[in-house]
Amino acid sequence: MKVETFQLERWMTTWELNVTHDITESGVSPLSITELLTLSDVTNDQEYIDTLLSSPQLYSEARGTEELRTSIANTYASVGSDDVLVTTGAIEANYLVFNVLLNHGDHVVVTTPCYQQLVSIPKAIGCEVAEWRVTPESGFSFDLDALESLVTDRTKLIVINSPHNPTGALLRHSYLERIAEIADRVGAWVLSDEAYRWIEHPGGEPLPPPFRDLYPRSISIGTMSKFFGLPGLRLGWLAGTAELAAQCWRHRDYTSLSPAWLSDRLARLAVDNRQRIQQRNDGILAENLATARTWFADNSDIVAWKEPKAGLLAMMDVIGVDNTDDLSERLAADAGVMLAPGSTFGLPGYLRIGIGQRPTIFAEALERTSDFIRTSRQY
Ligand SMILES: Cc1ncc(COP(=O)(O)O)c(C=O)c1O
């Protein structure tokens, strides 16, 4: 299978280790293992720590341990541990589902702009891809009539992502129900990439249930990388039917075989202590949202955004700039601020901003950004 270059990931790897102020990252500021153990109240549980440190680093249970799959399954209303496959990040879960469900020539509808994998892998498989677009003209919102007009009797799969990367748009409960009706009418599967699940904004809209709990021919995708702030574990999952999970497992024998032993244990700790992590996130998001609102209001002559409804990401419109490629390079190289160029999402006049960074760095990064844009405009 030949794949297109993954534009965003290429850009991120160029800069992420070379900047001081990364405010384009898509997860909540990462936790250390010490922070995770402290949040989970196990630092004084000597037996737990001893087992963690003294266990041989074997190949771990290939599907993910029964304990982790049970903890994950318990976050859904209608999922059992056999319906879950633990994967190397959400990226592997998506990859497996595409490879198991899709064949050359299949008709697929994909929400765009998107995390590029979601559109590039179906294309690489040779599918006919119709794009369900979330546009600036719609105020970055989902248009269900447009989705309905794209779905045909031949549609095999509908790919959705909410809260949405990169716009922060949200599919409410009634929208998800309508998507289930549209899919059911033609017998299509729905892959719901829920990488930003649980990331509600303090005082904002509550998130609807996962799609897996609403529609039987569906797969919900999850990850430790965003809400949990643990991207370094490289651990995600898919929750589907037991049969689909087993098919994906068979495919996985050829990709990553099994989750890392340590990641599996630490992921279980994080999932079981989700409420504590929620409290940490609420603090970060409340502060960053307040900072961002003030900053956008103070700088409305040079930047604008549609505030995200949930999740961590939004597109920042740089007023008067048609293509931010050069600006994003100079911001990273000269000001140490990382804001990914919108061209990586087909929105060249924008920069992608993430609101999960530590609040002091987030506030400094915004000041540096406005100073940099103003200074460069004087020339
Ligand atoms: C929508 C979406 N899906 C999947 C991924 C991959 O995440 P992971 O780190 O779990 O592989 C990302 C990462 O940014 C994402 O935004």
Side-chain angles (χ1 to χ4, degrees):
M1 181 167 59
K2 296 277 180 287
V3 284
E4 300 170 316
T5 299
F6 202 137
Q7 305 284 356
L8 177 75
E9 295 298 354
R10 286 292 100 210
W11 194 88
M12 300 281 271
T13 32
T14 306
W15 291 109
E16 64 197 342
L17 299 178
N18 300 314
V19 295
T20 49
H21 291 68
D22 177 357
I23 53 164
T24 207
E25 209 54 65
S26 56
V28 178
S29 175
L31 284 169
S32 67
I33 294 181
T34 306
E35 284 171 313
L36 174 61
L37 297 177
T38 308
L39 270 174
S40 313
D41 266 348
V42 292
T43 36
N44 295 323
D45 182 342
Q46 207 48 47
E47 196 185 327
Y48 182 87
I49 302 289
D50 286 348
T51 311
L52 196 67
L53 298 183
S54 64
S55 295
Q57 291 303 293
L58 309 167
Y59 281 115
S60 195
E61 201 179 314
R63 288 193 286 169
T65 53
E66 175 67 31
E67 292 86 345
L68 175 58
R69 285 183 289 110
T70 301
S71 288
I72 291 170
N74 287 343
T75 71
Y76 299 84
S78 58
V79 171
S81 61
D82 283 344
D83 306 331
V84 173
L85 180 70
V86 175
T87 56
T88 308
I91 198 163
E92 188 184 38
N94 287 331
Y95 187 85
L96 296 174
V97 172
F98 287 141
N99 277 284
V100 164
L101 282 185
L102 298 178
N103 291 304
H104 192 276
D106 282 342
H107 185 258
V108 181
V109 179
V110 183
T111 311
T112 63
C114 62
Y115 188 61
Q116 192 185 323
Q117 175 198 29
L118 298 176
V119 72
S120 290
I121 298 296
K123 278 188 189 163
I125 291 171
C127 299
E128 192 186 317
V129 175
E131 298 189 26
W132 182 33
R133 294 197 65 79
V134 179
T135 61
E137 295 73 33
S138 71
F140 291 129
S141 60
F142 292 103
D143 176 350
L144 290 170
D145 293 336
L147 174 66
E148 192 149 27
S149 69
L150 293 171
V151 171
T152 75
D153 289 347
R154 291 181 44 240
T155 303
K156 179 87 167 280
L157 177 70
I158 300 171
V159 181
I160 58 174
N161 164 230
S162 173
H164 185 226
N165 173 9
T167 68
L170 177 67
L171 286 166
R172 303 198 171 91
H173 196 156
S174 60
Y175 286 29
L176 294 181
E177 284 174 335
R178 181 142 170 234
I179 293 172
E181 275 166 31
I182 294 170
D184 196 35
R185 216 173 295 146
V186 297
W189 281 85
V190 175
L191 185 160
S192 180
D193 183 328
E194 292 160 9
Y196 300 89
R197 185 178 172 201
W198 295 306
I199 308 179
E200 296 179 345
H201 292 179
E205 285 192 48
L207 293 187
F211 206 75
R212 181 68 211 142
D213 286 337
L214 300 177
Y215 178 63
R217 229 172 289 109
S218 70
I219 309 102
S220 282
I221 304 292
T223 178
M224 302 309 295
S225 300
K226 315 300 180 189
F227 169 88
F228 294 100
L230 294 164
L233 298 190
R234 300 307 305 127
L235 193 139
W237 67 86
L238 59 91
T241 60
E243 194 192 338
L244 189 99
Q247 285 174 305
C248 288
W249 180 16
R250 277 201 288 280
H251 199 96
R252 181 174 200 264
D253 287 342
Y254 286 97
T255 54
S256 61
L257 210 51
S258 63
W261 189 99
L262 198 56
S263 296
D264 188 297
R265 272 58 179 185
L266 294 176
R268 196 194 317 159
L269 202 58
V271 174
D272 290 346
N273 288 281
R274 193 157 54 78
Q275 305 308 337
R276 297 281 185 84
I277 290 178
Q278 176 92 55
Q279 282 164 16
R280 169 187 190 253
N281 291 355
D282 283 352
I284 292 174
L285 292 189
E287 210 170 319
N288 286 349
L289 276 168
T291 305
R293 284 175 191 140
T294 308
W295 184 78
F296 276 106
D298 290 349
N299 293 285
S300 59
D301 54 324
I302 54 169
V303 286
W305 75 340
K306 179 84 199 299
E307 185 175 316
K309 295 230 163 21
L312 297 172
L313 300 165
M315 295 310 280
M316 178 197 301
D317 186 4
V318 186
I319 294 163
V321 176
D322 293 335
N323 188 316
T324 61
D325 284 358
D326 185 48
L327 174 64
S328 62
E329 295 274 319
R330 286 186 300 125
L331 265 170
D334 301 343
V337 175
M338 191 158 143
L339 280 161
S343 61
T344 56
F345 288 98
L347 292 166
Y350 294 77
L351 295 165
R352 188 185 78 169
I353 180 169
I355 58 168
Q357 180 53 279
R358 276 190 284 140
T360 41
I361 298 192
F362 184 77
E364 280 170 23
L366 289 183
E367 285 317 310
R368 284 182 184 213
T369 302
S370 44
D371 288 350
F372 189 84
I373 295 175
R374 289 190 191 287
T375 310
S376 31
R377 285 193 178 176
Q378 286 163 10
Y379 300 105

